[in-house]
Structures are given as structure tokens and as C-alpha cells.
Amino acid sequence: MISYDGDVLSPYESVLMRKFRPEIQLLRAIAVLAVVVYHIQPSWLPGGFVGVDVFFVISGYLITAHMLKEVESTGRLSLSQFWANRARRILPAATLAIVVTTIASLMFLPVTQLDTVTKQAVASAVYVQNFALAAQSVDYLGQGEAATPFQHFWSLSVEEQFYVVWPLLVVLALWATRRLQNRGRHSVDVFRRRFRLIAFVLFAVVCLVSFVWSVVSVGAGDPAAYFITPTRVWELGIGGLLACVLGDPQKLNSARKAMAIVGVVAIGVACVTYTGEVPAFPGASALLPTVATVAVIAAGWTTGLGSLRPIINWKPVQLVGLWSYSLYLWHFPVVVFFRERNGRPAEGVTEFVALFAVSLALAMLSFYYVEQPLRVLPFLKNSNRRALIAAGVAVAVTVAVGVTPVAKQQAVMALEQKATEQLRNDLDATIGRASLRQNSYDAFVPGYENVLIPPITEIKDDTPEYPCSERIPAKSTSATTAECIVANPDGKKTLAVVGDSHASQWVPALQKIVEGTEWRLVVYLHDSCPFSLEPRGNENKNHIECTEPNRKTLDTLVKSKPDRVITTNLNVKDFEKVDGEKHAGTSGFIKAWKPLVKAGIPITVLHDTPDFGDNEVIPDCVALHMEKDDLEKCGRKREDVQENRRTNAALKAASDKFDNVDFVNLTDLFCTESECPAVIGNVIVYRDKNHVSANYMETVADDLDKALELRP
């Protein structure tokens, strides 16, 4: 507990401080409804995610105002009481939500997701979920994973981290004020003004550093910038700055009415016009919803014609504001569980209303039977020590429950591994591609129904392996692309594989092909980067760096003169048409390949593997539908897999410009004439949303060799 010398200060009496701010309940209602609509039906409110930013400003304002008032009323700030109050307010409902969601995950989510569920349940329980998601956002392989029911805890983690640090700044401001106060006797009013000024300066410095960090990180295309606390704390801090200068305004009613209306409209504009891509977020773009929220809070309570008072006083608005925290906690698990069980997001008004109603019902139950009762429970309310101990116990229990999903996954994995080993021993030569025919296929070979290779719990790790110290493929933001010799380092001929992760996925098959031959296999792989000298749209947005690394790779290839280059890439759709080309991306491929052709280096261009779309992680679908015996729901019609479209068409068009470039379409290795299955001959074809598993690729080696004619 920190205090200053002298008499206890009386409250700052020149400003009427209302204990209840109904206009803030309006903001809470707007914020939570925006987020809920965005998560259930994002097309209805593409910028609804800014509701989180509104919550940040509100939290920063209320918490700071409370601490400032305590210091000015008592002359001290009790850190134990502050943190105990936060625990009473936040932990009961959050603990219940995490525990129930974890248990529900065992029933509603596929076993493939359970390890991630455990990681994020534990991260949410200890309020570091934002950093867990930040790590996943910069992990290219992790981006193929489905959203877990805990992802919305990232914003609560930011707030909890803020609650740890921000009071220390208040303590520092109080200490500095006391040092100045000791130099002479001053009135309570002088103390207050000095204290608020020092606090304001400290807050302003933190906000400025955080804001600059946010703008720079977003401008550099860092995907972690959306989640990490350093890029977000300014949004809470701006509320703290407001608390330093704002009392309860009573004058200029007309001006304040206009300010409140403009603020609400500005939040609405952000909700409607912002999207997940435009503008880059948070950065400077977050100024619109945050400053708009400041305006509404600063406007305070207004009356008369043109006031928001009728809307503010409307009981449903006040109730939604009252339930906003619980509604935020419960809605996202409901959305995720619905999507996973149905294999698609909610569609139409009826499903939206159903999901919203379920979320609201859970929020009401949580609020009235857990959040409020425990918040005012005398056993906890009358003792900060007991409240903090209870908080520690709650976190420990939540973590203990959080590890149950991965325990279940480990048990399933042990059973799967035995069955998979038996299958490999008995039928290794007939699995995978061998079960695919022109007009039909076998999902499972007789006698081994529902046995998968690899085990479903291991599928996400079924990736190509590289014997090099560098990261292969290079990160999407890397300025260089490393060379890696994969097989036969002493080979007389060199086969170079160039491209993105969709070029990488062919490497397991190529490794089998070059075994026992004179071919040396070398790769130049870069995540998200087709081998092109025209920038993708994502590169123009600073999300990736491709063009310059590709130039360096091209120079290396021209100098080293491999005997053949193989290239392919994800069938992307964000190239812009240039030079009058028919298919976007064509000229960039031509520019990249032309120096190789001039150097006499043959090039084989592979049509991309079938595009299953980005709506579903295929192994998750397999895990859910295998037990229902309807795996066909996880496949795609061949007419829907973007064959000969987008950059596939551009690759073909570019290859037609050269005599020394062959274009090869091997879609028949993955599809019948009409269907592209998710499981063929007991082998899971895809390890995520779009990458072919290493195990399946190994089964196409012979067919790939026939197309490439590498073996003598």
C-alpha cells in the first residue's frame, strides 16, 4: 500500500462524480453486439472487430478514474485491493467459461484440435492468450489451424496485463507527487493537480510509445501486431488520459450532444467500412473507433432534443451493456462449436438468431448465478487476501481442467499408432494413390476401415523434412531464400525445386524418385512466394516479401545452372493484371523464367494440387465424419477445385511462351474424373486446409517420375 505524508485527502469535491454512467453501458452494448455479429455473420458487419477497441477505451477510462479517485480520497493506492477487485470482477465468469468450454470441446471438437485446445485453454487461464495467438500468427504452418473456442480471450489477456502494469504507473505518479509535496506544504487542491499532471505525463509517454510501436509494426506487415500488448496498450491508455482530465461535464449541453452523436456514428462507420484487410489494423486505423469512444465518454450525460438519452435509457440497451462481459465470454465458443459440428459457419437470419439466443441465455445464466453472486460474496468481498488466494486456486483448477483435451488426444494417439503400424506392415504398397482410379476410389482398403496414415492425431506434423539448419521454407517476411541440399549431395546432376510451400509439398515424392540415382535434390523455398518477379497483392500490403528474394534466387540459379528446375505454387488470386495479360500473374512468371531459359536450363511447371478452399481444415473434417461413415462430405467435386483457373491458368499461359518450359497437370493423382477425396487408400490427402500430406505425396512418386522422366 502506498500513501503520502500528511492528512488524508478529502474527495475532489468541485466535480460531481456519478457512480453509474448509463452512456458507458450504451458503449458496452454497441461494442459487444458489434463483436458478436462479426463473429456469427462477418459479412453483415465486416468491421465489427472494432468493438474490442471500444472495450479497451472504456476499461482504461474506468480503471484509471477509479484509481485516481482512490488516491485523491485516501491519499494512497492499495495494490492488493485493486488486484483483488479485478479478480472478483473477472475471474468467476472467466473461470466458468474456460472450464465449461474445455469440457464441451471434448464432445464437439475433432480429436485433431485437442492439443491446440489445451494450449489455448491454459494460455487463457493465465491470461497470455494474446501472445499465444501472436506466436501462431507468425507461424506459417500454424495459420492452417482452425479457430479454437478460446481465441477471443486474447483481448481479456491484454486487459489483464494492462491491469498489472497500469497501477504501478499510478504508484509512480503518487511517489513523484509526494517528493514534490515534501518540499513545502501545499493544499489538497495543489496536490491533486500535480498528481494528475504527473500521471497524465506518464500515461502519455506510454501511449505514445505504444502507438508508434503499433503503427510501425502494422506498417511492416507483422501479423503479431494485432494481438500483442505493446501495440494495444495505447488504446486502454487513451481512456486513462481521458480520466486524468475529465470529471462529469455539466456545461455546453448542445455541444456535448453533438459530440456523443458523432462518436456513436463514427463507431458505426468503422464497423461497416473496415474489413479484416482494409485498413491495416490496429495501427493508425484504430484511432477512429478509439477517439469516437473517447468522444462519447467525454460527452457524458446529455438531455433534451437530439440527446442519446432515449436510446441510452432503453432497457434492452442497459441490459445488454450489463451482460456484455458474460456475452463476450460465451458467444465465441457457441460460434466455434456450431461451425465444427456443421462443417460451415452460420448462414441466414434463422441460424444467426439461434446462435445469438443461445449465447445470450448462457450470458444471463453466467451473470446472475456466477458473476454477480461471487463478486459480492462476503467471504471474498471482505478480504483481499482471500480473494487473491481464491483467484490463484481458480487459475490452478482451470489449468488442470485445460490439460484434459491433450490427455484424451494422447490416449487416442496410442491406439491409432498400433493400428497404423499393422496396416503399413501388411499393405504398404497398396495404400494411398494405388487406391485411386479414373472413375472411383477406395477410402479404405478391406479389413482396415477407419485406420489412417498417418494417425489423425499426427497429421498436422506430416510435413516435408529438411536436413538444413536454416528454416525451410523461409518465412514469408524473410528477405532471403536459403539453399538446402535435400538428397544425394554428391550427385552429378542437379534438380532444383523453387517456389512456395506448395512446391515444398512435392519434395517427399521427389526424394523417393532420386534415391539411387545421380540426381542431387536442392530446394529454394519461400513461404507464400510464387517464383515470380511481379509482387502479389499481399506483398504490396507489406504482409510478405517475395520479389527481392526471388531475384536473389534467380541469380543463384543462373550461376549454378541446375540440370532442371521444378516450380509451382499455391493457386493464389491476388496478382494484379499487368501488360495486358489475360491471366493475372503471367508476366511475373515469364520475367522469372526467361533468364533460366536463356541459360539453357529446362523448367518443369506443376499445376497446383486441388484447391479445397479455406473454410475448413480437412483433417478436422475427417476426424468428425469418419465416425459417422460419411467421409465424402470432406471431399470436393473436381469442378470446384480451381483446376486451370487463377494462377494455374497463369502458369500455363507463361509456360506456353517458351519451348524449354513444360507444364504438367497431375490433378489425376488426387482426383477421379468427378471427385477429389479427403482420404484415399487409408491415407489422409491433406494435412491442413491446402497442403498435401507427406505420406500421400510419397505414394504418388512413381506417377510423378513418369511425368518427369528423371529415372533412367
Side-chain angles (χ1 to χ4, degrees), residues 339 343-345 612-617 636 689:
R339 185 203 63 218
R344 59 172 177 80
F612 272 37
D614 292 329
N615 292 329
E616 190 169 26
V617 178
R636 299 291 185 272
K689 294 181 178 181

Side-chain angles (χ1 to χ4, degrees), residues 129-140 143 154 158 161 213-233 235 281-283 475-477 542-543:
Q129 171 71 322
N130 59 321
F131 287 105
L133 289 178
Q136 182 176 314
S137 72
V138 298
D139 178 2
Y140 181 81
Q143 293 176 38
W154 77 268
V158 170
Q161 293 157 24
W213 193 330
S214 180
V215 171
V216 171
S217 297
V218 170
D222 182 2
Y226 190 88
F227 299 107
I228 61 175
T229 304
T231 62
R232 289 289 192 166
V233 74
E235 298 181 46
F281 211 82
K475 291 183 179 179
S476 59
T477 54
N542 294 323
H543 293 169

Side-chain angles (χ1 to χ4, degrees), residues 359-415:
S359 302
L360 192 62
L362 291 171
M364 293 168 60
L365 291 172
S366 174
F367 179 83
Y368 289 114
Y369 292 101
V370 177
E371 184 179 339
Q372 282 298 97
L374 291 182
R375 186 179 181 183
V376 298
L377 185 70
F379 178 79
L380 298 176
K381 186 176 181 180
N382 297 334
S383 171
N384 295 334
R385 183 172 177 271
R386 285 197 295 267
L388 292 173
I389 291 174
V393 171
V395 170
V397 170
T398 308
V399 169
V401 174
V403 301
T404 56
V406 76
K408 176 183 176 181
Q409 188 186 67
Q410 292 294 327
V412 172
M413 186 184 300
L415 294 174

Side-chain angles (χ1 to χ4, degrees), residues 635-656:
R636 299 291 185 272
K637 293 181 179 179
R638 184 158 178 169
E639 63 188 35
D640 296 332
V641 297
Q642 303 298 327
E643 189 173 5
N644 300 318
R645 282 172 268 180
R646 299 200 304 230
T647 48
N648 281 326
L651 289 169
K652 178 64 167 63
S655 65
D656 288 342

Side-chain angles (χ1 to χ4, degrees), residues 564-567 593 596-597 601-605 660-663:
R564 187 186 296 193
V565 168
I566 294 177
T567 187
W593 304 345
L596 300 179
V597 172
I601 302 171
I603 302 173
T604 298
V605 180
N660 205 25
V661 177
D662 296 323
F663 181 80

Side-chain angles (χ1 to χ4, degrees), residues 424 426-431 434:
R424 280 194 179 279
D426 291 350
L427 301 167
D428 192 42
T430 61
I431 61 176

Side-chain angles (χ1 to χ4, degrees), residues 109-113 341 416 452 456-457 617-628 631 634 679 684:
L109 297 184
V111 68
T112 47
Q113 292 185 19
R341 297 311 295 184
E416 287 183 333
L452 293 172
I456 193 71
T457 50
V617 178
I618 307 307
D620 292 349
C621 180
V622 170
L624 284 174
H625 288 280
M626 190 168 65
E627 54 192 61
K628 301 177 184 178
L631 273 178
C634 301
V679 175
I684 309 172

